[in-house]
Amino acid sequence: MFKTLSNRLLDVLYKVKSINYLTDGNIKDTLDEVRKILLEADVALPVVCSFIDQVKKEAIGKKLQKGLTPGQGLIKIVYHVLIKIMGGEYNHNLNLGNKLPAPILMVGLQGSGKTTSIIKLAKFLQQKQNKKVLVVSTDTFRPAGMEQLKSLALSASIDFFPSSLDFSPSKIAELAVNMASINFYEVLLVDTPGCIHIDQDNMSDIIKVHSVICPIETLFVVDAMIGQDSANVANLFNKSLPLTGIILTKLDGDSRGGAAFSMHQITGKPIKFVGVGESIHELELFSPVRLVKRILDMGDMLSLIEDIENKTNRIETERLINKLKKGDSFNFFDFMSQLKQMRSMGGISKIINKLPGFSHISNKIQENIDDKLLIRMESIINSMTIQERLYPKIIKGSRKQRIALGAGVYIQDVTKLLKQFDDMKKIMEKINDNSMLKMMELLRNNKLFSMFKKH
Ligand code: GDP
Ligand code: MG
């Protein structure tokens, strides 16, 4: 996320770190460079100016905290000011009010990620807050959009209110509210037609839906790839519909940072969630602190720990720990379950990105890591018999050949996997409590990288 911005900022700030005193001159040079970097990352000009002013105000003429070099002091100031311009230290949680159901309206341009975000948010509310959630589409312009919500809801076990093209968007919304309140749903998430342009015609249906459901939250969903302009589009929407918050999507892509940095200052609306991938779990509560820590490479252990808790299978991990404690040997069933857990966390490169001290150096490491390898490793294991998975030692000559043939790989790949299995086994047998966390530590210390290198 914001890799270029992050690397360049760190380069500049690290330079300051290595000198022992700050003068007006070198603060000026550094800040000039920081200004350039932010502008090139597409951060809106007024936001950049206000950022630089605040940093100057904090830095010049103030006594720096004891124990910090002036450079470290400056990094600390940059850290606090960046957080401030992105909305402050506190996360802006969803407001569900006390009406049942709590109606939440999602609006935004076509393709911004509304439908996907509704499903992600529904899952988030269901899993993290134990809410009974219903979703409905009022997108009568794009029947495919309705179908999309329906099929996503179905595969994620989220209740879906069937919409009919015979009704207007506002009628559908009204029916959904009735059905939700009769059936004690706690939250109703309403998808709307996406506009291509913002004009009165396009907006009128959405405004009608808004007045029928009286949403407690009207969330503006916007694609981070459109940069600082996203904040202007939000402002335009806000003129017709009072927005209560923003969901910034596609932060996993190569957006440069403009949207995330500019949104709060330009619109005055809080970013509540960010979309960081296409799959259902890839929605995070927006935390300026976490983002700035990531950008300034202070690590992101918090979200990594959340990932581990949410996406890995705790029961499976505990089973494995108990098994190893009892002295049972680690086998290919266990290896497979570890690979699956890593994959469900987004693969090795995503995990690395969140480790402290990594983003700065991880480009090179990442070039050497191939997440597809996880999938290939799984397919080799799938070609093994139960016997072979339980007793990997028996895998020799002709068995190797058969497995390679079954998985569509070379014999050398099977040999390599067996070696990786042995390495993992050695590591796993040393770990006897919270295995996933320790595994992260090992990843960080570079011990596991060699296992996932490309050929
Ligand atoms: P809508 O027209 O606003 O409903 O947009 P959709 O929900 O249909 O999303 C448009 C495309 O963006 C789809 O291909 C989604 O998979 C993709 N998308 C949505 N959110 C994200 C995200 O956070 N990251 C990535 N990489 N893709 C996303
Ligand atoms: Mg849609």
Side-chain angles (χ1 to χ4, degrees):
M1 207 185 280
F2 310 145
K3 198 141 245 161
T4 316
L5 169 70
S6 168
N7 285 343
R8 293 188 58 198
L9 264 183
L10 286 170
D11 274 348
V12 171
L13 294 172
Y14 270 107
K15 259 189 233 152
V16 180
K17 222 176 182 176
S18 58
I19 58 169
N20 291 325
Y21 58 93
L22 276 180
T23 64
D24 281 355
N26 58 27
I27 249 203
K28 188 182 172 305
D29 290 349
T30 305
L31 292 187
D32 280 350
E33 281 189 64
V34 171
R35 181 200 314 269
K36 218 168 88 192
I37 294 167
L38 291 177
L39 287 172
E40 280 168 18
D42 195 34
V43 181
L45 182 62
V47 178
V48 176
C49 294
S50 136
F51 168 78
I52 300 287
D53 283 351
Q54 288 183 62
V55 172
K56 267 190 197 152
K57 216 188 288 163
E58 298 282 323
I60 295 175
K62 280 234 176 90
K63 241 191 168 164
L64 287 166
Q65 199 177 320
K66 253 192 180 161
L68 294 186
T69 65
Q72 287 168 336
L74 185 63
I75 290 180
K76 201 166 162 235
I77 293 167
V78 166
Y79 168 77
H80 285 296
V81 178
L82 276 182
I83 290 172
K84 204 149 85 183
I85 65 163
M86 277 195 265
E89 299 215 354
Y90 301 102
N91 304 346
H92 298 272
N93 278 327
L94 212 54
N95 173 15
L96 293 179
N98 24 23
K99 200 162 84 175
L100 283 184
I104 297 180
L105 189 66
M106 301 283 236
V107 299
L109 297 178
Q110 201 167 310
S112 58
K114 289 181 296 303
T115 306
T116 317
S117 300
I118 284 203
I119 293 296
K120 289 177 178 175
L121 190 55
K123 200 78 210 161
F124 176 91
L125 291 168
Q126 230 183 29
Q127 274 187 341
K128 298 250 169 92
Q129 302 188 5
N130 242 339
K131 298 285 180 202
K132 190 174 176 200
V133 187
L134 182 69
V135 300
V136 61
S137 171
T138 61
D139 192 353
T140 50
F141 295 95
R142 288 175 60 240
M146 284 185 170
E147 277 306 309
Q148 182 197 5
L149 185 69
K150 184 176 170 185
S151 78
L152 288 174
L154 206 70
S155 60
S157 308
I158 289 158
D159 293 345
F160 169 82
F161 180 79
S163 328
S164 158
L165 289 176
D166 298 333
F167 295 126
S168 67
S170 53
K171 186 69 191 168
I172 295 172
E174 189 190 321
L175 293 171
V177 171
N178 288 341
M179 175 326 203
S181 56
I182 293 168
N183 292 286
F184 307 107
Y185 281 95
E186 294 168 281
V187 185
L188 172 67
L189 293 169
V190 183
D191 200 359
T192 56
C195 319
I196 297 174
H197 307 290
I198 305 158
D199 57 40
Q200 227 34 53
D201 257 6
N202 278 326
M203 295 289 289
S204 68
D205 273 322
I206 305 174
I207 293 170
K208 275 188 213 146
V209 171
H210 183 271
S211 66
V212 166
I213 68 169
C214 299
I216 177 99
E217 289 270 17
T218 303
L219 300 176
F220 181 68
V221 181
V222 65
D223 180 344
M225 305 288 275
I226 64 178
Q228 59 166 292
D229 263 354
S230 59
N232 302 330
V233 184
N235 271 347
L236 275 176
F237 254 85
N238 191 48
K239 281 192 185 139
S240 315
L241 273 185
L243 303 175
T244 58
I246 312 281
I247 296 185
L248 200 56
T249 63
K250 308 185 199 180
L251 270 192
D252 51 310
D254 37 292
S255 73
R256 286 173 294 164
F261 281 76
S262 315
M263 188 59 79
H264 183 258
Q265 289 255 304
I266 304 277
T267 65
K269 307 286 174 193
I271 300 177
K272 297 208 165 181
F273 289 92
V274 289
V276 292
E278 289 188 73
S279 78
I280 187 150
H281 290 291
E282 289 173 311
L283 180 81
E284 295 178 359
L285 262 173
F286 178 64
S287 157
V289 172
R290 216 189 264 176
L291 184 62
V292 174
K293 276 191 175 162
R294 216 184 278 182
I295 289 169
L296 295 179
D297 200 16
M298 293 165 163
D300 196 6
M301 285 310 265
L302 200 65
S303 87
L304 188 62
I305 288 166
E306 263 181 26
D307 268 6
I308 292 168
E309 285 180 347
N310 289 340
K311 296 180 192 164
T312 63
N313 184 337
R314 209 172 311 177
I315 298 170
E316 176 52 33
T317 307
E318 272 164 20
R319 182 197 66 81
L320 186 57
I321 293 164
N322 287 333
K323 180 181 144 101
L324 292 172
K325 268 189 189 156
K326 274 197 288 177
D328 286 355
S329 192
F330 180 74
N331 61 37
F332 266 112
F333 284 106
D334 308 319
F335 189 43
M336 182 75 135
S337 96
Q338 294 295 311
L339 293 178
K340 283 215 157 81
Q341 295 201 16
M342 286 194 202
R343 203 139 69 79
S344 71
M345 288 170 65
I348 309 292
S349 8
K350 274 213 174 152
I351 297 172
I352 290 172
N353 258 326
K354 294 182 175 173
L355 293 168
F358 256 107
S359 67
H360 202 45
I361 51 161
S362 64
N363 274 349
K364 217 166 111 213
I365 295 173
Q366 287 196 18
E367 273 167 25
N368 282 316
I369 290 174
D370 188 353
D371 277 325
K372 287 201 198 80
L373 257 178
L374 290 181
I375 298 169
R376 179 148 17 117
M377 287 161 104
E378 283 179 26
S379 75
I380 297 177
I381 301 173
N382 281 332
S383 298
M384 296 176 184
T385 62
I386 294 179
Q387 195 78 356
E388 287 161 349
R389 289 186 214 191
L390 287 173
Y391 309 104
K393 280 210 164 51
I394 63 171
I395 304 176
K396 303 234 159 70
S398 67
R399 285 182 188 266
K400 269 194 205 171
Q401 199 164 15
R402 195 206 74 245
I403 293 167
L405 211 66
V409 298
Y410 297 110
I411 292 190
Q412 297 92 291
D413 293 321
V414 180
T415 308
K416 192 171 169 218
L417 181 82
L418 289 170
K419 168 85 177 55
Q420 286 163 333
F421 169 80
D422 277 340
D423 291 346
M424 180 73 109
K425 187 173 169 197
K426 275 184 209 130
I427 291 166
M428 293 310 292
E429 282 168 354
K430 277 194 209 125
I431 296 170
N432 50 18
D433 50 17
N434 200 345
S435 72
M436 222 37 202
L437 262 180
K438 289 233 167 125
M439 183 126 79
M440 296 307 127
E441 267 306 299
L442 289 165
L443 264 174
R444 192 172 152 213
N445 297 335
N446 225 342
K447 296 224 171 81
L448 278 181
F449 287 137
S450 54
M451 290 183 48
F452 298 100
K453 274 191 186 152
K454 285 178 190 162
H455 290 276

